[in-house]
């Protein structure tokens, strides 16, 4: 089976979408012939088990991009095109171009059609995009892929396409070791983009409430500053008088990121909304208990007793941190091991890849036509 994935960027700064495709390719590329079409960037993720192709990305050269894309699909002759992300014009144009050749198309919005995203810059950016291209590509897709039930429900409310399937994101679990010790390091970790919806500010405010209990602790805030939000966070830490225990690390990747997960006593992501939350899965896989919010589809954290799934308030985050401080190292270890087992059994990349391949096969069988693609 030949699959083409289109993604606007595989740069390390692409956040969860780039990480998703890297993780999916790890296993999907072993059971299909996987191709990725994208655009050049400076710090690209290393994605294995696939062939990467590059096309023009500037809209002033849209006809060149179209020619390059069509030449690639004529050469590869894929069974299906899978588009990742929304709002970038080429995420829609690649759908139009593939459909002009009668290829089935899957779109994974990656949370980019969630209500809070639509509300952001709606009149200036979202409405024009919807009117000119975005909603038409969504309607043309054979299937939209959601990663959780909440995202599926929100997509159904939009009314653009009722054919929605749920395939959770995955994580690479093979050769990913858990921490060797749960002896307290007095470290609390946040990993995520530095922007308001991810909630680093809520974590800082919770730390401010608990600063007497957190004497001797280090609060690591790791993530790229994509919207100039770092300045606001630094000013907040000074206002709360916790700047001496808060460390802003910038973007962390690869081994450095995994070492941070293992070093932390607790991982915290006070997110407003996640269609998955790959960093949550990575922290659990590392054996670190997690505190996150009900905007993320991680109620399994409570069911498997490996962390806290709370309302997105400073008080609730502070209470969860306070509870974690009262746990013994043996209790932290038990939580960490339960969390790792939960992720391996539910979100292992090979399981997700098999589910995705089955979905592709169903779509291809349903959409097959003896009409010759031209």
């Amino acid at each position: 089976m030949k699959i083409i994935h289109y993604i606007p960027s595989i740069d390390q700064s692409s956040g969860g979408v780039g990480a998703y495709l890297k993780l999916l390719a790890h296993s999907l590329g072993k059971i299909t012939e996987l191709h990725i079409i994208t655009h050049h960037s400076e710090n690209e993720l290393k994605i294995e088990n696939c062939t990467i192709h590059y096309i023009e990305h500037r809209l002033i050269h849209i006809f060149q991009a179209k020619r390059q894309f069509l030449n690639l699909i004529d050469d590869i002759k894929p069974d299906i095109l899978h588009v990742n992300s929304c709002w970038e014009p080429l995420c829609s144009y690649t759908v139009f171009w593939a459909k002009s050749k009668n290829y089935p198309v899957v779109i994974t919005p990656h949370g980019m059609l969630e209500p809070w995203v639509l509300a952001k810059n709606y009149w200036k950016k979202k409405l024009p995009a919807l009117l000119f291209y975005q909603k038409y590509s969504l309607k043309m897709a054979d299937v939209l892929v959601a990663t959780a039930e909440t995202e599926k429900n929100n997509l159904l409310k939009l009314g653009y396409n009722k054919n929605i399937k749920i395939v959770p994101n995955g994580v690479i679990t093979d050769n990913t070791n858990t921490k060797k010790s749960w002896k307290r390091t007095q470290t609390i970790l946040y990993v995520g983009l530095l922007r308001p919806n991810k909630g680093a500010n809520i974590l800082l405010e919770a730390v401010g409430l608990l600063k007497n209990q957190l004497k001797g602790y280090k609060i690591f805030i790791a993530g790229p500053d994509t919207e100039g939000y770092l300045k606001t966070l630094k000013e907040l830490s000074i206002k709360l008088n916790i700047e001496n225990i808060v460390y802003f690390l910038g973007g962390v990747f690869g081994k450095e990121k995994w070492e941070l997960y293992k070093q932390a006593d607790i991982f915290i992501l006070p997110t407003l909304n996640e269609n998955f939350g790959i960093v949550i899965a990575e922290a659990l896989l590392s054996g670190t208990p997690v505190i996150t919010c009900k905007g993320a589809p991680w109620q399994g954290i409570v069911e498997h007793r490996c962390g806290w799934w709370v309302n997105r308030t400073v008080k609730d985050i502070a209470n969860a941190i306070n509870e974690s401080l009262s746990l013994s190292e043996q209790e932290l270890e038990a939580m960490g091991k339960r969390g790792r087992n939960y992720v391996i059994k539910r979100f292992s990349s090979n399981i997700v890849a098999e589910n995705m391949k089955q979905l592709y096969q169903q779509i291809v069988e349903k959409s097959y036509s003896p009409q010759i693609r031209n």
Side-chain angles (χ1 to χ4, degrees):
M1 189 173 219
K2 296 182 181 180
I3 310 298
I4 290 180
H5 272 255
Y6 170 76
I7 183 172
S9 173
I10 56 170
D11 194 85
Q12 290 184 355
S13 64
S14 60
V17 183
Y20 161 84
L21 193 52
K22 178 180 179 178
L23 294 166
L24 182 63
H26 174 78
S27 295
L28 185 63
K30 296 176 183 177
I31 56 177
T32 68
E33 181 182 318
L34 180 60
H35 297 262
I36 295 174
I37 296 179
T38 187
H39 315 289
H40 282 290
S41 62
E42 292 184 1
N43 300 300
E44 293 181 353
L45 294 166
K46 294 181 180 179
I47 303 181
E48 58 186 352
N49 302 326
C50 66
T51 303
I52 300 177
H53 312 268
Y54 300 92
I55 63 173
E56 176 61 53
H57 73 281
R58 292 169 294 179
L59 289 181
I60 59 173
H61 298 304
I62 189 67
F63 293 109
Q64 181 181 351
K66 179 179 181 179
R67 182 174 67 254
Q68 292 170 339
F69 179 84
L70 291 176
N71 285 342
L72 280 170
I73 62 174
D74 282 343
D75 181 49
I76 298 169
K77 295 181 174 59
D79 293 288
I80 204 162
L81 171 72
H82 190 151
V83 175
N84 297 275
S85 297
C86 294
W87 305 119
E88 294 289 338
L90 281 170
C91 289
S92 291
Y93 292 145
T94 50
V95 174
F96 303 151
W97 299 335
K99 280 298 184 180
S100 74
K101 294 279 187 175
N102 298 314
Y103 286 100
V105 172
V106 171
I107 298 177
T108 299
H110 293 284
M112 295 183 186
L113 294 170
E114 292 293 276
W116 72 269
V117 177
L118 288 170
K120 186 178 180 182
N121 296 320
Y122 181 77
W123 295 105
K124 184 178 180 180
K125 294 182 179 180
K126 299 300 190 299
L127 182 60
L130 285 170
L131 290 175
F132 286 106
Y133 54 84
Q134 187 62 80
K135 72 176 180 179
Y136 299 106
S137 61
L138 293 169
K139 288 180 177 181
M140 292 176 71
D142 294 80
V143 168
L144 304 183
V145 172
T147 56
E149 190 70 32
T150 52
E151 186 183 18
K152 177 180 178 178
N153 291 336
N154 286 331
L155 290 172
L156 287 170
K157 290 175 184 176
L158 288 176
Y160 298 141
N161 193 321
K162 299 296 184 182
N163 197 6
I164 303 169
K165 305 296 182 182
I166 298 176
V167 182
N169 287 1
V171 290
I172 298 171
T173 57
D174 48 310
N175 300 319
T176 304
N177 297 321
T178 189
K179 60 172 66 179
K180 296 180 180 179
S181 171
W182 281 263
K183 183 177 177 60
R184 285 193 180 273
T185 61
Q186 294 190 304
T187 302
I188 291 173
L189 176 65
Y190 164 102
V191 177
L193 296 176
L194 300 187
R195 61 188 191 194
N197 69 294
K198 297 295 183 179
N201 60 308
I202 294 177
L203 170 56
L204 293 180
E205 291 180 29
V207 169
L209 291 179
L210 299 172
K211 55 190 171 188
N212 291 331
Q213 295 97 308
L214 292 172
K215 287 180 179 178
Y217 270 75
K218 295 180 180 179
I219 315 300
F220 288 151
I221 308 292
D225 182 23
T226 60
E227 299 180 4
Y229 195 53
L230 176 59
K231 181 175 182 292
T232 300
L233 294 174
K234 286 183 174 180
E235 290 173 349
L236 179 60
S237 68
I238 294 171
K239 178 182 177 182
L240 296 169
N241 196 28
I242 57 173
E243 71 273 17
N244 60 322
I245 65 171
V246 176
Y247 299 82
F248 295 96
L249 307 182
V252 293
F253 309 98
K255 291 182 179 179
E256 180 185 4
K257 179 178 67 171
W258 287 101
E259 286 305 314
L260 282 172
Y261 285 135
K262 293 175 186 177
Q263 178 184 349
D265 295 331
I266 293 290
F267 175 84
I268 305 179
L269 186 72
T271 184
L272 172 66
N273 193 292
E274 296 288 329
N275 67 312
F276 181 64
I278 186 66
V279 292
I280 295 171
E282 290 175 344
L284 291 170
L285 186 63
S286 300
T288 299
V290 166
I291 298 172
T292 193
C293 298
K294 293 182 179 179
W298 281 91
Q299 59 267 37
I301 286 176
V302 176
E303 296 167 5
H304 293 268
R305 296 180 295 127
C306 52
W308 295 260
W309 190 58
V310 301
N311 292 322
R312 193 178 188 255
T313 69
V314 173
K315 182 180 179 181
D316 285 320
I317 294 294
N319 286 341
I321 295 173
N322 208 25
E323 285 183 28
S324 76
L325 296 177
S326 69
L327 297 178
S328 67
E329 291 173 353
Q330 291 74 22
E331 288 172 318
L332 283 176
E333 180 177 354
M335 291 183 77
K337 289 181 176 179
R338 287 194 296 265
R340 178 175 171 84
N341 289 335
Y342 165 46
V343 169
I344 289 173
K345 292 178 180 179
R346 181 71 175 85
F347 301 109
S348 181
S349 61
N350 62 323
I351 296 174
V352 174
E354 286 289 350
N355 291 340
M356 191 67 78
K357 183 182 177 182
Q358 290 178 17
L359 175 60
Y360 293 152
Q361 290 172 332
Q362 292 168 7
I363 295 169
V364 170
E365 291 170 2
K366 185 175 180 180
S367 64
Y368 174 77
S369 170
Q371 178 180 353
I372 298 175
R373 294 180 174 132
N374 50 45

